[in-house]
Every structure is written in structure tokens, then in C-alpha cells.
Amino acid sequence: LSANVSTVIVEEERFAHASRINCAVGGACAMAMLFNTPIGGLLYMFEEISPAAWPIELTFRAFVATTVCALSSYILLGAVNKEVREFVIFAWLPEDKEWSQGDLPVFVVLSAFLGAVTACHTKLMLAMAAYRQRQKDRMRYPRLGVALQTVAYCALCAIVSGVASLASNCRHHGDSNLQYVRFNCPEGEYNPVASLLVNTSHSSVKLLFSGNNDGEILFRSSALAFVTYFALNVGLAGLPVPGGAFTATMLLGGLFGRCVGAILREFGFTAAVSGVYAVVGASAMLCGFKQMAAAVVLIVVQCVNDFNMTPVVMLSVSIALSVNRAIIERGHDEEQIERKKLPFLEPEIPHSLDCKVAGDLCDTLPMEAELRRQATVDEVLAALEATKDKHWADFPVLDAGQCIGIITKAHLTATLKAHGAGDPPGGGASSCGGGGGGGGGGG
């Protein structure tokens, strides 16, 4: 193989590496803008990718990118006379977020329960997505069928949310000056359920987290909204729409936590406002769905703008995540990767490999499959011929009896076609994909 072909192979691997870096940086910037937390965006992507796949240089690149992204957002919003507070979940004014030691046992029970609820929620969403995929496979016109299914479900969401809102009683505006949804209520009143359902998830979470609107959202309204939103959110899985699972999960936990807090406060079991319980519930539900810890704590604490809530949020995350992992092995995203059979390297070594060494995992390759550094076309054809009935995706490149790198089957196939060698044995890339390698592929 010529030096030019080796250069092309290396460049392809570099492009793939750059694509992964850009994906991580873009995700960090998106989370930074969503919650106005540059460090939170960086930490979120770090936990999402896991340290096993986080390159050293990515930390600084993501740090600079989220910084530039945040500053650009402030500048652009200022140019149109807007403020970032209009678009993010953030408590700009001081709020009552006081809690006492007597609330801790309730926080523990609430977090443990929501950890289990989140596991069930994840399993239901995965089951619904699998059901929709089976439906799609049976459709004669899949694109049209999915489009009609999506439109029908949007209509169902609007109808169910409207009916649930009509079941709620109107209330007069309180002293919090928060923006509620009027819906079917007369002037000067609002519909509490509509304010939670017929609204953006960001606005609803703001209402739930607030410490200044105690008594304005009763536990009945929160409970009705929780049941309705839970069912609709599960039914959304598998549809080609941006469901917003992150804030949706926060909203579900906030609704349940607010309901519990309102009940306890109404019957005199706690002096803490129900907004504190909403924060605990949102943290528990979110960490279980994403199976993250530090990023959830930082994002939620910054949303409420009160670092005194940090110990409570950390307690909630610790309990909920422990219960969730005892019920379900993977989070929603990792389970999707597993079910779609995407190439993914687990951060932890499987227990089945505990008693094995590297030599136990080596395949026995025929001599023809071991390529020299300067291999001829005939040698490459012989290597592919010797492995055409196998699923090997990579071939070792040897120099003086030592392995100096690997080259993928896909690269060998493409190289032969470029040299006019015709269709190589095996019919091109193997079923294993052949996406790795590169490295020292000086072959």
C-alpha cells in the first residue's frame, strides 16, 4: 500500500475524532444555553460521555466553547432588548427555600420512591418506543404512517391536557406576581392545572420551584397534572418529535414533589414551602432518568439560585440514583444505544472478563491475514480471501515480527477498488462495521 493511501486512512480517522469532539462541544453549549450554566453544560456532557471516552483536550475546548456561547447569547439578546431570564429556569428574586432537619426523613422517602418511579418510567418509555418501531415495520408506507401517527398524538395531547385543565377550579391571583395561564377562567383568575400543562415545560418548572407562590398551586392540581403528564410523556416515546426529555423529567419530579409538599404543609407536618419539595422531586426524577449525579446537582441548584439547597439536592440524588440503579441497569439513553445495537464502548469492563488476560481474547488469524508494512496487492487479496467467511473487521500490520498497527477491512477493500483490483473477496466491509483502527496503520 502506498504512502498516499496511508495518509488518507489517517485523515479519515482524524475526521471521525473531530466529529466526536464537535458533538461533545455542541452538546455542552446546548445545555449551557438551556439553563444558563456554562459549567453545568460542560459537566453534563462529561457525565454523558463518561471519563472513559473523554479526551484530555476536550475539557478546555468545551470550557472555551460554553464561555463564548454564553457571552454571545447575552450580546445577541441585548441587541434585541431581551434578557436571558425570559428564556431559562432561574430564580432572579430572593425566594423562601428554608427547610429543617425534620424534613430530611421525608426527603429520603420521597427520593427513594421517585427513584423507583423513574425506573418504571424509563421501562415504559422504552417499551412504547419498541411497540412503535414494530408498528412502523408493518406499515406499507412508513413515512406517511408515522407522520399521521404523530399528528394524531399531538391532537390527543391537546385534548387530554384541555380536559384535565377543565377539571380544575379557577383561582384568584396571589401576591407572587408569577405568570399563570388564564385558560377558561374569568379576568383576574387563573387555571392552576392549565398553568402546568398548557404551558412550556420551562415555565411550569419555574412555577413549581418558586418559593413565593405557596398556596397558589394546590396538591390536587399538582397530582392531576402529574398523572396526565406522565401518561402523555410515556406515550410520546418513539415519535419523531423533540420531546424534551430532560426538562420533561424535571417537570414530572417537580409535580410529584410539589404535591407531597403541599399535602404536608396543609396538614401542618412541615413548615417548608412546597417549592422545596418540588426541587427535591425534580432532582430525584432527573438523576434517575439520566443516571447522572454531579451535573444534576449543579444544574438544579443553579436553577433555584440558592446554594443552601445543595446538601438537600445531593441527598436526593444519592438516594434516588441508588434505588434506580438497583432496579434498572442502564439509563434511558444507554438502553437506547444498546437496543439499536450502536457501536459503544462501555465505561466499565464486564464482569465476565475479570479472570481473563489479553491473550485469552486474541483470535487465531491465518498467516495470510498478517500484513507486512509494505504489502502488495496480491498479499491484500490473499488476506481478504483467507478471512472472507469470518467476521474480522481489522488486520494486524507487522514489521520485523512486531505489530505496529491495525488496518480495517473496509479500508483494505476501498484501497483495492481504488487500485483497480476489482471486487475483493468478502464483498466489501464486514458485518462488524470496520469503523476502528487507524492508529499506526502504516500499512
Side-chain angles (χ1 to χ4, degrees), residues 32 265 287 335 363 399 407:
R265 187 172 175 87
C287 77
E335 189 64 34
D363 294 321
D399 189 9
I407 186 168

Side-chain angles (χ1 to χ4, degrees), residues 280-294:
V280 173
S283 305
M285 196 89 180
L286 179 58
C287 77
F289 183 79
K290 301 297 294 184
Q291 289 207 345
M292 293 182 178

Side-chain angles (χ1 to χ4, degrees), residues 87-142:
F87 306 98
V88 299
I89 305 171
F90 193 78
W92 294 91
L93 299 176
E95 295 183 351
D96 181 9
K97 289 291 192 303
E98 296 295 328
W99 54 275
S100 64
Q101 296 179 2
D103 295 309
L104 292 178
V106 184
F107 291 159
V108 171
V109 175
L110 173 62
S111 301
F113 180 77
L114 285 179
V117 170
T118 309
C120 297
H121 175 256
T122 300
K123 289 184 177 181
L124 288 173
M125 290 191 70
L126 292 170
M128 178 58 69
Y131 170 73
R132 285 232 164 85
Q133 184 60 46
R134 291 194 299 270
Q135 278 191 323
K136 181 180 177 181
D137 295 338
R138 292 195 296 265
M139 292 179 183
R140 185 174 181 181
Y141 302 103

Side-chain angles (χ1 to χ4, degrees), residues 67-99:
T67 302
V68 173
C69 196
L71 293 176
S72 300
S73 176
Y74 277 94
I75 293 172
L76 292 174
L77 289 173
V80 293
N81 296 321
K82 295 288 185 179
E83 295 185 18
V84 71
R85 69 179 65 185
E86 301 177 34
F87 306 98
V88 299
I89 305 171
F90 193 78
W92 294 91
L93 299 176
E95 295 183 351
D96 181 9
K97 289 291 192 303
E98 296 295 328
W99 54 275

Side-chain angles (χ1 to χ4, degrees), residues 31-268:
M31 293 302 299
M33 292 300 93
L34 187 62
F35 294 97
N36 192 35
T37 169
I39 299 297
L42 190 157
L43 188 58
Y44 171 85
M45 287 307 300
F46 179 78
E47 287 201 74
E48 183 73 54
I49 294 176
S50 82
W54 185 271
I56 297 176
E57 72 273 14
L58 182 54
T59 301
F60 182 67
R61 292 180 182 180
F63 181 87
V64 173
T66 52
T67 302
V68 173
C69 196
L71 293 176
S72 300
S73 176
Y74 277 94
I75 293 172
L76 292 174
L77 289 173
V80 293
N81 296 321
K82 295 288 185 179
E83 295 185 18
V84 71
R85 69 179 65 185
E86 301 177 34
F87 306 98
V88 299
I89 305 171
F90 193 78
W92 294 91
L93 299 176
E95 295 183 351
D96 181 9
K97 289 291 192 303
E98 296 295 328
W99 54 275
S100 64
Q101 296 179 2
D103 295 309
L104 292 178
V106 184
F107 291 159
V108 171
V109 175
L110 173 62
S111 301
F113 180 77
L114 285 179
V117 170
T118 309
C120 297
H121 175 256
T122 300
K123 289 184 177 181
L124 288 173
M125 290 191 70
L126 292 170
M128 178 58 69
Y131 170 73
R132 285 232 164 85
Q133 184 60 46
R134 291 194 299 270
Q135 278 191 323
K136 181 180 177 181
D137 295 338
R138 292 195 296 265
M139 292 179 183
R140 185 174 181 181
Y141 302 103
R143 293 186 178 181
L144 178 61
V146 171
L148 294 176
Q149 193 178 55
T150 303
V151 172
Y153 193 76
C154 289
L156 177 65
C157 289
I159 294 172
V160 173
S161 299
V163 171
S165 300
L166 291 174
S168 175
N169 296 323
C170 297
R171 295 180 61 84
H172 291 282
H173 284 282
D175 300 327
S176 64
N177 294 322
L178 294 174
Q179 293 183 354
Y180 292 96
V181 175
R182 179 180 171 186
F183 200 61
N184 62 324
C185 298
E187 187 72 28
E189 297 183 4
Y190 67 92
N191 188 311
V193 175
S195 300
L196 299 173
L197 294 178
V198 191
N199 207 346
T200 65
S201 56
H202 277 62
S203 300
S204 300
V205 172
K206 281 184 180 180
L207 296 176
L208 295 172
F209 281 6
S210 176
N212 297 335
N213 65 342
D214 193 59
E216 296 181 8
I217 300 178
L218 301 179
F219 72 87
R220 301 177 188 85
S221 302
S222 300
L224 177 59
F226 173 80
V227 173
T228 305
Y229 197 84
F230 187 97
L232 294 177
N233 185 251
V234 169
L236 185 66
L239 292 178
V241 293
F246 195 95
T247 50
T249 312
M250 288 182 66
L251 177 56
L252 281 171
L255 286 169
F256 192 87
R258 181 95 184 194
C259 176
V260 172
I263 292 175
L264 294 176
R265 187 172 175 87
E266 183 171 331
F267 289 97

